[in-house]
Amino acid sequence: MKTTMSSLSAFGDSSIQTPSKSRIRLGCHSAGPNVSGDHINLVSSSMPSFPILQRSSEEKILYSDRLTLERQKLTVCPIIDGEEHLRLLNFQHNFITRIQNISNLQRLIFLDLYDNQIEEISGLSTLRSLRVLLLGKNRIKKISNLENLKSLDVLDLHGNQITKIENVNHLCDLRVLNLARNLLSHVDNLNGLDSLTELNLRHNQITFVRDVDNLPCLQRLFLSFNSISTFESVCCLADSTSLSDITFDGNPIAQESWYKHTILQNMMQLRQLDMKRITEEERRMASVVAKKEEEKKRESHKQSLLKEKKRLTINNVARKWDLQQHRITNIATNQDIKDSDSQDHCQNDGSTISAFPEETGSLDSGLTSALQGLSVTDTHLVEVDGDTLSLYGSGALECLDRNWSVQTAGMVTTVSFTFIEFDEIVQVLPKLKIKFPNSLHLKFKETNLVMLQQFNALAQLRRVDQLTIDPQGNPVVNFTLWKYYVLFRLSHFNMQKINGTEVTQNDMIMAERLFGILAHVASSELPQYHLISILGDARKKQFRYLLETKGKKPGIVNEENNDSKRLVGESTNRATLNYTTRDFYNEKLEEIKEKKKFCKMYIEDLVKEATEINMKNEALQKLWPQMFIELVRDAVMEIRNKNSYMKLCLQQITDQK
């Protein structure tokens, strides 16, 4: 058996050869009934299709336990009588199509049927002692009928048409399995092969491998020339503790730059890879590269998590924004109802609130469950990507209060606002100008830009070269002349692009023609005190300059000053076109209401007090004549007796001391 086992090499795509000393020279074949050789005769039997094998007594004694019938052009297995003691039988290189007439050879250990035309494994159920079965280079399509061969040690099925590994789980003593050059697309169903040490799967169509880690004794695995392209498809090999030799050459995976170090890093027990011994230096390099790859993988995983969290957060912000817009719409509707019936308004308002959970339920279930996992702080998002600062949700505006590094703040040239009310953005524009002095490009999406006046608020920035207004959530872009108004109102910025379109000189001229008179009317109709109050300090000085030079004769001011005055005047005129946010306007209204209330109460108190004084005065006028008479009478009566009056006065002075 040692000779037999050693002949099945790691390259065993070909059949095991019977040792030369056991071969018998044959000069006969199955073409005729009475063909004889040097030592063996095949004679006809009562069954016309099966010849009978006969050996001389000398031959039986010399080769009592073996029989070789290779290259005899046999189409069937001959009847072998009186040879029950045979242990080795060789039918290599014939044309046999079916295994038969050997069921009586129950001591047979070695059966070689290499290079025949067998289509099915059969006729072996009585060969319980068989240990080596060689069926390579046949036409077998399925592994079957091996149930009774529990002592099988070597099974060679290479060069057949097998598409699936099956019916071998009971072969617990099998040590070598050769399935090279078949039609296998995957490897699995290997449980139970507890003694298997070598598995040859070369030249198949294998794309993934399973169950190999359940083979406790497997040492050599040959997977050359298959279709394996990723390590994940063979990752079970990393869990094998016994595997020492493996080959992947001829697979797509072997062409990858990470191939060798990935295999070595995940299969530390290997001694040979692709028939080459692994050195310690290779292991060390594999470990270094693997660490770098692991770091890249962790970073990639981290970025994926951040990207997913960003997506979920934006979805959450968008959901809250939609709910807020629905609430505003419903409030507007309810306000109309309130004008007609305040009681009905209360009922409608309650139904609006109760409708929100139903809207939540209408969202995609997967998205809803993901959003539930977000914390409250995930209702807004602040992201700096290169030179772009992106703000999602009104809570993101608080980021402008952070202590941004000079380098980060200086890099930001684009600021994007999404799902934020424009009126809230207006309140932080002064901070934006200070925190990010190099910001040149503003983007607005879902910010409720609904009227041209809102663009007036952007004039307080330091500089704006580009402006992008997304149509989504910004109805103002539906106005035909909105771009011209922006160019007119923000002309001091010399804007370069609006919504990605270059601004031309003709655009500037058209903007001035359309809206120039508007600024003139606005500034001329305002009182001076009101005009000065809405201008900044610099423009106040400019405006005072205009007032001071207004009365001078035209000849006093030269032409250069006239041009300067004209430019200053245009800037000042535009400055009168400002924007007041709804919240600020509401606060002013409340303040005015409070002042009116206070003034009313104050006037009422004054009127009440004046009325009381007047009533007292009228009463005094009526009582005064009588009071005067009584005063004069009392005085005359007191001084009528001069001596008594003087004594009384002296007594009062004394009592006071």
Side-chain angles (χ1 to χ4, degrees):
M1 284 304 299
K2 291 182 179 179
T3 305
T4 302
M5 293 305 301
S6 62
S7 63
L8 186 62
S9 67
F11 302 94
D13 294 353
S14 60
S15 174
I16 296 176
Q17 300 294 330
T18 306
S20 58
K21 66 177 183 178
S22 64
R23 295 179 184 172
I24 300 173
R25 289 177 288 110
L26 299 177
C28 59
H29 52 78
S30 60
N34 292 309
V35 180
S36 61
D38 293 339
H39 304 286
I40 297 176
N41 292 325
L42 293 175
V43 298
S44 61
S45 66
S46 58
M47 299 177 65
S49 58
F50 296 104
I52 299 175
L53 183 139
Q54 293 181 349
R55 290 200 299 175
S56 64
S57 299
E58 296 176 355
E59 188 70 24
K60 288 183 179 180
I61 294 173
L62 184 61
Y63 301 107
S64 60
D65 62 345
R66 64 190 62 191
L67 176 62
T68 298
L69 294 173
E70 63 177 275
R71 303 185 188 277
Q72 299 302 308
K73 300 182 180 180
L74 296 172
T75 59
V76 297
C77 294
I79 297 173
I80 304 175
D81 288 332
E83 301 280 358
E84 289 77 8
H85 54 279
L86 280 179
R87 295 166 64 85
L88 185 150
L89 180 58
N90 182 2
F91 283 114
Q92 282 190 20
H93 306 293
N94 283 288
F95 304 99
I96 297 171
T97 59
R98 185 178 179 184
I99 305 173
Q100 52 193 348
N101 299 327
I102 61 173
S103 59
N104 59 320
L105 306 178
Q106 297 183 9
R107 295 185 182 180
L108 198 63
I109 294 176
F110 190 108
L111 176 59
D112 188 351
L113 286 160
Y114 171 74
D115 191 18
N116 281 277
Q117 299 179 10
I118 298 169
E119 296 182 356
E120 181 184 7
I121 302 175
S122 61
L124 303 175
S125 59
T126 61
L127 307 183
R128 298 180 182 276
S129 299
L130 194 65
R131 300 191 64 185
V132 178
L133 177 58
L134 308 181
L135 290 169
K137 201 174 180 182
N138 278 280
R139 300 177 181 178
I140 299 169
K141 297 180 179 179
K142 182 179 180 180
I143 304 174
S144 60
N145 301 318
L146 299 176
E147 290 78 9
N148 294 333
L149 306 184
K150 296 182 179 180
S151 299
L152 208 58
D153 188 78
V154 176
L155 177 59
D156 181 10
L157 292 169
H158 84 275
N160 283 282
Q161 302 171 22
I162 298 169
T163 59
K164 183 180 180 181
I165 300 176
E166 56 186 336
N167 302 319
V168 295
N169 306 96
H170 62 287
L171 302 177
C172 57
D173 292 332
L174 188 68
R175 294 193 303 113
V176 178
L177 176 59
N178 188 353
L179 290 169
R181 296 185 184 277
N182 277 279
L183 303 176
L184 298 173
S185 61
H186 57 275
V187 179
D188 56 5
N189 199 21
L190 295 173
N191 294 323
L193 301 179
D194 296 338
S195 301
L196 193 67
T197 60
E198 182 176 310
L199 178 58
N200 190 346
L201 298 169
R202 284 189 177 93
H203 294 282
N204 277 278
Q205 302 166 13
I206 297 169
T207 57
F208 67 88
V209 177
R210 295 176 184 165
D211 295 345
V212 173
D213 53 318
N214 295 326
L215 303 176
C217 297
L218 186 66
Q219 298 177 9
R220 295 174 295 280
L221 176 61
F222 306 107
L223 288 165
S224 305
F225 301 100
N226 279 282
S227 301
I228 299 169
S229 57
T230 64
F231 180 76
E232 287 71 19
S233 60
V234 294
C235 60
C236 66
L237 301 178
D239 298 327
S240 175
T241 58
S242 58
L243 198 59
S244 60
D245 298 349
I246 194 168
T247 63
F248 285 109
D249 54 302
N251 284 274
I253 190 176
Q255 306 300 320
E256 300 290 345
S257 58
W258 46 262
Y259 159 65
K260 192 168 187 177
H261 68 254
T262 300
I263 297 296
L264 295 182
Q265 180 63 21
N266 289 277
M267 304 174 67
M268 300 295 293
Q269 76 281 12
L270 285 184
R271 297 178 184 173
Q272 289 192 150
L273 176 61
D274 297 333
M275 305 306 295
K276 296 179 181 179
R277 183 169 293 279
I278 300 168
T279 64
E280 290 302 319
E281 179 63 18
E282 288 176 328
R283 292 186 189 278
R284 189 187 67 80
M285 290 300 298
S287 178
V288 172
V289 174
K291 287 180 180 178
K292 293 181 179 179
E293 290 292 333
E294 186 64 25
E295 290 176 0
K296 289 182 180 179
K297 190 180 295 184
R298 282 199 298 267
E299 183 63 25
S300 176
H301 180 64
K302 180 180 177 181
Q303 293 300 324
S304 298
L305 289 178
L306 291 175
K307 186 176 180 180
E308 180 64 13
K309 185 174 182 181
K310 173 186 174 182
R311 185 184 69 82
L312 293 175
T313 303
I314 293 175
N315 285 341
N316 193 24
V317 174
R319 173 176 167 271
K320 290 183 177 297
W321 173 262
D322 290 339
L323 292 177
Q324 180 182 351
Q325 300 312 304
H326 289 317
R327 184 183 294 112
I328 293 172
T329 303
N330 289 331
I331 289 175
T333 303
N334 292 338
Q335 186 63 38
D336 294 338
I337 298 174
K338 179 181 178 181
D339 294 339
S340 61
D341 191 341
S342 60
Q343 184 176 0
D344 291 343
H345 160 70
C346 296
Q347 294 176 352
N348 290 335
D349 188 55
S351 65
T352 300
I353 296 175
S354 64
F356 293 154
E358 296 177 5
E359 292 182 7
T360 303
S362 67
L363 294 174
D364 179 70
S365 58
L367 177 59
T368 302
S369 61
L371 292 177
Q372 289 174 350
L374 292 174
S375 64
V376 178
T377 58
D378 291 326
T379 57
H380 64 271
L381 177 67
V382 179
E383 181 186 31
V384 178
D385 185 9
D387 63 349
T388 302
L389 171 65
S390 300
L391 307 177
Y392 299 86
S394 59
L397 297 176
E398 299 176 1
C399 79
L400 298 177
D401 294 326
R402 295 180 185 174
N403 293 324
W404 293 88
S405 67
V406 176
Q407 182 179 2
T408 302
M411 288 173 55
V412 173
T413 59
T414 302
V415 182
S416 173
F417 301 94
T418 309
F419 302 120
I420 308 174
E421 285 284 350
F422 184 80
D423 285 0
E424 297 182 29
I425 297 173
V426 170
Q427 298 175 17
V428 301
L429 288 179
K431 296 179 182 178
L432 181 67
K433 178 173 63 174
I434 297 173
K435 292 286 186 177
F436 301 98
N438 296 328
S439 58
L440 304 175
H441 185 187
L442 297 183
K443 295 182 178 181
F444 298 92
K445 181 179 180 180
E446 292 283 4
T447 56
N448 272 344
L449 272 165
V450 296
M451 53 187 175
L452 298 179
Q453 294 92 316
Q454 290 173 300
F455 291 115
N456 298 339
L458 301 180
Q460 60 184 298
L461 293 173
R462 188 188 305 273
R463 180 181 174 187
V464 178
D465 284 355
Q466 295 187 52
L467 185 65
T468 302
I469 310 297
D470 196 294
Q472 187 174 346
N474 295 308
V476 72
V477 299
N478 296 324
F479 298 160
T480 305
L481 303 178
W482 76 272
K483 291 184 180 179
Y484 292 112
Y485 184 80
V486 170
L487 291 176
F488 169 75
R489 182 61 187 87
L490 306 179
S491 61
H492 57 290
F493 288 147
N494 294 322
M495 200 169 295
Q496 304 299 316
K497 289 183 179 180
I498 297 181
N499 278 13
T501 303
E502 294 283 348
V503 176
T504 65
Q505 187 63 31
N506 291 335
D507 293 333
M508 299 298 296
I509 295 172
M510 179 61 69
E512 183 66 29
R513 287 178 179 177
L514 290 171
F515 297 102
I517 190 63
L518 176 65
H520 176 72
V521 171
S523 61
S524 61
E525 293 298 322
L526 285 177
Q528 292 185 10
Y529 75 91
H530 193 184
L531 186 61
I532 293 176
S533 67
I534 66 175
L535 297 176
D537 292 337
R539 290 179 179 173
K540 287 179 183 178
K541 294 179 181 179
Q542 296 171 357
F543 184 73
R544 288 194 179 98
Y545 167 79
L546 290 176
L547 294 179
E548 291 172 359
T549 59
K550 187 174 182 180
K552 294 182 179 181
K553 295 181 180 180
I556 299 177
V557 184
N558 59 32
E559 185 177 352
E560 182 179 355
N561 288 340
N562 278 333
D563 293 338
S564 300
K565 183 176 68 173
R566 180 177 54 82
L567 294 174
V568 171
E570 287 181 351
S571 178
T572 304
N573 290 342
R574 286 175 173 80
T576 61
L577 301 174
N578 57 3
Y579 174 65
T580 303
T581 64
R582 285 192 295 268
D583 292 341
F584 182 77
Y585 180 72
N586 292 334
E587 290 177 3
K588 286 294 183 181
L589 286 180
E590 290 297 327
E591 184 179 348
I592 292 173
K593 288 180 181 179
E594 291 294 330
K595 289 181 178 180
K596 285 183 177 180
K597 184 178 178 181
F598 173 78
C599 291
K600 182 179 179 181
M601 293 176 62
Y602 182 72
I603 295 298
E604 288 177 352
D605 290 342
L606 289 177
V607 170
K608 183 178 179 181
E609 184 177 355
T611 302
E612 291 178 353
I613 293 173
N614 185 57
M615 291 175 64
K616 291 179 180 179
N617 186 42
E618 290 179 355
L620 179 62
Q621 293 297 329
K622 292 179 181 180
L623 295 175
W624 176 248
Q626 184 63 31
M627 291 175 61
F628 183 76
I629 293 172
E630 291 179 357
L631 288 173
V632 171
R633 185 188 62 187
D634 292 342
V636 171
M637 291 180 66
E638 285 179 354
I639 64 173
R640 184 174 52 184
N641 189 342
K642 186 177 179 181
N643 293 328
S644 299
Y645 179 73
M646 293 177 64
K647 289 180 180 180
L648 180 61
C649 291
L650 289 173
Q651 185 62 38
Q652 290 177 350
I653 293 172
T654 303
D655 293 339
Q656 289 177 357
K657 293 182 178 180

